[in-house]
Amino acid sequence: MALFVQKFGGTSLGDLDRIHRVAERVEETARGGHQVVVVLSAMSGETDRLIQLAHEVTSKPDDRELDVLLSSGERVTIALLAMELRGRDINARSFTGRQVGIVTNSSHTRARIAKITASPMQQALAEGIVPVVAGFQGVNERSEVTTLGRGGSDLTAVALAASLGADRCMIFTDVDGVYTADPNIVASARKIEKLSYEEMLELASLGAKV
């Protein structure tokens, strides 16, 4: 039995039909006899919508409050997917960054992961639960919500995979590999054929496109 971390980005979660397809893929993995941890982004466009709302309220949103606002996007997708999986008789449960034990520094809107307490995920997996984890978020040492900035959900997935000793971290996205930058924006971005979890953590924290 292998342990997989599967991360799905906003384009994979843009509407309920796409969430159904994500559920089908997760169900296939779980029923194949494997343990699986799912990491989700917010629905496509949701983070931008929330940022726009914040700037309609004030020209200079407070970073701490912005993190509280932005972290809500992933809470929607993890709850919806967990509901769907439970409807398919898969024992799934949603987890926020706080519940997973992702602790960051206090740089709001661009926090870096300081440590992960693996025990909540290990306990859930031991009980046969499929954890559905909110990417992009954690808490600082004062238990304040933080977000990880660009590439934050990818960073969450890779960090969890490393912490849990996963056999594979699978990132489902709209590009065909890991690049040094977003190839849709940077023409000189290079595709990286092979790298370690540690290298992937560093690249994701710097905004690499995966």
Side-chain angles (χ1 to χ4, degrees):
M1 177 175 63
L3 170 58
F4 298 140
V5 174
Q6 296 183 335
K7 182 264 176 179
F8 297 90
T11 54
S12 299
L13 302 161
D15 54 40
L16 291 179
D17 285 340
R18 294 183 182 185
I19 290 175
H20 294 329
R21 290 197 288 272
V22 168
E24 289 171 357
R25 185 178 291 273
V26 174
E27 179 183 18
E28 181 180 357
T29 304
R31 295 205 187 282
H34 303 297
Q35 293 180 313
V36 56
V37 175
V38 186
V39 177
L40 301 184
S41 298
M43 285 183 168
S44 180
E46 179 64 7
T47 300
D48 289 341
R49 185 186 74 85
L50 293 171
I51 291 173
Q52 181 179 341
L53 281 175
H55 282 90
E56 288 176 1
V57 169
T58 174
S59 61
K60 294 182 179 180
D62 178 79
D63 284 347
R64 179 187 181 281
E65 302 309 328
L66 194 58
D67 273 353
V68 173
L69 177 67
L70 297 183
S71 67
S72 67
E74 284 73 21
R75 289 173 180 254
V76 172
T77 51
I78 62 172
L80 289 174
L81 184 64
M83 289 176 190
E84 164 120 10
L85 289 171
R86 293 182 71 84
R88 294 168 179 261
D89 292 326
I90 299 294
N91 187 13
R93 184 181 300 166
S94 62
F95 290 84
T96 64
R98 181 195 304 272
Q99 292 168 325
V100 170
I102 296 176
V103 180
T104 74
N105 63 17
S106 294
S107 298
H108 286 289
T109 75
R110 56 186 184 280
R112 293 179 69 94
I113 295 175
K115 63 181 179 181
I116 295 179
T117 305
S119 54
M121 292 291 90
Q122 292 168 337
Q123 180 64 34
L125 291 167
E127 294 174 6
I129 294 167
V130 173
V132 183
V133 180
F136 180 63
Q137 63 181 254
V139 293
N140 63 20
E141 292 287 358
R142 297 189 300 276
S143 293
E144 295 177 324
V145 174
T146 56
T147 63
L148 306 178
R150 181 177 293 275
S153 292
D154 298 325
L155 181 58
T156 301
V158 176
L160 279 175
S163 178
L164 292 168
D167 296 282
R168 187 179 301 173
C169 182
M170 308 160 72
I171 296 180
F172 298 89
T173 184
D174 57 352
V175 294
D176 62 353
V178 179
Y179 285 78
T180 54
D182 190 337
N184 297 314
I185 299 173
V186 181
S188 60
R190 293 181 295 104
K191 183 178 177 181
I192 302 171
E193 296 300 329
K194 185 177 180 180
L195 70 170
S196 67
Y197 277 141
E198 290 74 17
E199 291 168 327
M200 185 63 231
L201 278 168
E202 183 64 21
L203 281 171
S205 71
L206 294 173
K209 180 68 174 181
V210 297

